[in-house]
Amino acid sequence: MHEILPHRAKDFPVGVNPVDKALYLQIKCRIYRQQSGGTLDSIANLGVSVSGQIGAPLMALKQVASKYEKSSAVAGLLWDDCRREEQIVATLLFANDMSVNDILTLLPLACSIEVCEYAGSQWLSNQSCVDELFSVAFDSSNEKVVAALISAAARREMMAERGMCAPSPIVKKYILRRYDNAILEAMAERYRFKYAE
């Protein structure tokens, strides 16, 4: 079984609220209980790196996050671990009133494109500043930022329940646009079916 060592107290930034620290440690323990060596082995057999992962499935991580109130402080501690499971739970715990600058600082620190997809669909699509974010980050050269925004645009469009109709300006900017980056192009292509001519 793969093992990830628990977070050591000396790694906490100076001035972390003791309540936030306790919640963070409690969430980490709950995440570790979702560890699945079988999942890791099957992912590794596909040739995907499992470095820094414990193999917890998304539904289990959503259940862990559902037990807690949103807290950007606790989510930030989880995000800083730079591990798949912690960052996915963080996307579900970040408050919905973060600034564009804070978001643009965090996204490049995501441990993978997969996490960026969850960040876009589960976190950014609900942010009060998402329209400003879509506008400010349009020309970003960071693939993690763009991946998160492609996912956020798709989620926003889905939640609008627009059906088969003309694409919104955000869809045109992020989903119908062609990307030189193969990963981003593949992501956008997954959502284009709705707008096929």
Side-chain angles (χ1 to χ4, degrees):
M1 172 95 40
H2 305 270
E3 183 180 355
I4 305 290
L5 296 176
H7 200 66
R8 296 180 306 278
K10 70 177 186 174
D11 293 335
F12 284 104
V14 175
V16 172
N17 177 322
V19 173
D20 293 339
K21 186 187 289 190
L23 284 171
Y24 161 83
L25 291 170
Q26 186 179 84
I27 292 168
K28 290 276 283 188
C29 287
R30 288 188 175 191
I31 290 171
Y32 291 140
R33 288 185 201 140
Q34 307 306 317
Q35 185 171 2
S36 171
T39 300
L40 282 180
D41 292 340
S42 66
I43 292 170
N45 288 338
L46 295 173
V48 177
S49 172
V50 294
S51 175
Q53 295 188 34
I54 61 170
L58 178 60
M59 289 309 296
L61 296 174
K62 284 184 172 185
Q63 287 178 347
V64 168
S66 72
K67 307 293 183 198
Y68 298 91
E69 291 184 18
K70 288 189 178 289
S71 166
S72 291
V74 174
L77 291 171
L78 291 166
W79 189 267
D80 288 345
D81 281 352
C82 227
R83 292 191 178 128
R84 173 188 175 267
E85 288 80 5
E86 284 83 345
Q87 287 191 337
I88 288 173
V89 172
T91 68
L92 300 166
L93 293 179
F94 277 120
N96 292 336
D97 59 356
M98 294 182 68
S99 75
V100 167
N101 287 339
D102 287 342
I103 292 167
L104 291 176
T105 299
L106 288 170
L107 286 176
L109 304 176
C111 65
S112 69
I113 293 293
E114 176 199 14
V115 167
C116 293
E117 288 188 75
Y118 292 127
S121 65
Q122 303 298 315
W123 167 38
L124 299 181
S125 62
N126 298 316
Q127 285 290 310
S128 57
C129 68
V130 71
D131 291 324
E132 182 186 353
L133 184 62
F134 281 136
S135 180
V136 168
F138 179 67
D139 291 324
S140 177
S141 60
N142 187 292
E143 74 174 2
K144 291 178 180 178
V145 170
V146 177
L149 293 177
I150 290 170
S151 181
R155 176 70 175 204
R156 287 274 302 248
E157 193 72 359
M158 182 185 78
M159 297 309 288
E161 297 180 0
R162 296 164 54 87
M164 297 296 278
C165 59
S168 70
I170 293 303
V171 166
K172 289 178 182 176
K173 280 176 106 171
Y174 284 100
I175 296 174
L176 298 183
R177 166 185 173 189
R178 296 293 173 177
Y179 295 92
D180 293 331
N181 180 304
I183 294 170
L184 298 178
E185 179 62 21
M187 274 187 68
E189 184 61 32
R190 285 200 312 248
Y191 303 116
R192 290 183 187 137
F193 71 93
K194 185 174 175 181
Y195 308 100
E197 295 180 21

